Amino acid sequence: MPLKSIPLEEPTLNLTPMLDVVLNLLVFFMLATQFKEYERQYDIQLPSVADATALTGQPDEIIVNVQADGRVTVGADVKSLAEVETSLTAARERFPGQAVVVRGDGRGPYQHVMDVMAAARRAGIRNLSLSHQPLKASP
């Protein structure tokens, strides 16, 4: 008895989902490189710490950079200690839980970092953190 055979359709490959994934990855990596450039904007060598955990803070934390020669920058502006205290006071009045991260150059005197921390305390900042980088393990 002959069996009736129906010609099968050739399988096709749908590339639309693959292109969607590739374009999403492309956009993600383009944005990620922009964030990396923002972190390298300042020429600061952070001190190293052997036992480090990730710092967490409010999404709108203020980053204060202290250069080795004592210059203080908030964002892209070079400010004096009085100006830093004034801007931190204004930020605290807008948001009482304002977080501040002090990034001091590891090659500079620690007194400059302490001066910035004292200005932050006078401004009423209670959420104050010091930034560091983990110590690289030797092979």
Side-chain angles (χ1 to χ4, degrees):
M1 201 187 293
L3 295 174
K4 196 174 192 181
S5 65
I6 301 172
L8 297 174
E9 285 185 26
E10 288 294 321
T12 60
L13 183 61
N14 189 0
L15 295 178
T16 305
M18 185 177 68
L19 288 175
D20 288 344
V21 170
V22 168
L23 290 176
N24 279 332
L25 286 173
L26 179 66
V27 169
F28 171 76
F29 286 122
M30 286 172 44
L31 290 175
T33 58
Q34 293 299 322
F35 292 135
K36 191 172 184 177
E37 290 299 321
Y38 180 72
E39 283 293 322
R40 293 184 182 194
Q41 182 178 2
Y42 302 104
D43 184 28
I44 291 180
Q45 179 183 354
L46 295 175
S48 300
V49 177
D51 185 25
T53 59
L55 295 175
T56 58
Q58 300 294 333
D60 56 345
E61 62 191 8
I62 297 174
I63 298 176
V64 180
N65 293 303
V66 182
Q67 305 287 337
D69 60 357
R71 286 182 296 141
V72 179
T73 56
V74 179
D77 302 328
V78 177
K79 295 187 176 190
S80 68
L81 285 175
E83 292 170 335
V84 169
E85 184 176 345
T86 304
S87 65
L88 292 179
T89 302
R92 184 192 45 81
E93 289 173 357
R94 286 190 305 270
F95 182 67
Q98 177 67 55
V100 174
V101 177
V102 178
R103 294 175 38 168
D105 195 329
R107 298 170 293 191
Y110 196 64
Q111 182 63 45
H112 300 308
V113 175
M114 292 304 296
D115 292 339
V116 170
M117 291 176 65
R121 290 291 178 198
R122 286 191 304 270
I125 300 295
R126 298 193 183 274
N127 191 357
L128 184 65
S129 303
L130 289 175
S131 183
H132 65 280
Q133 67 184 9
L135 184 65
K136 295 181 178 113
S138 58

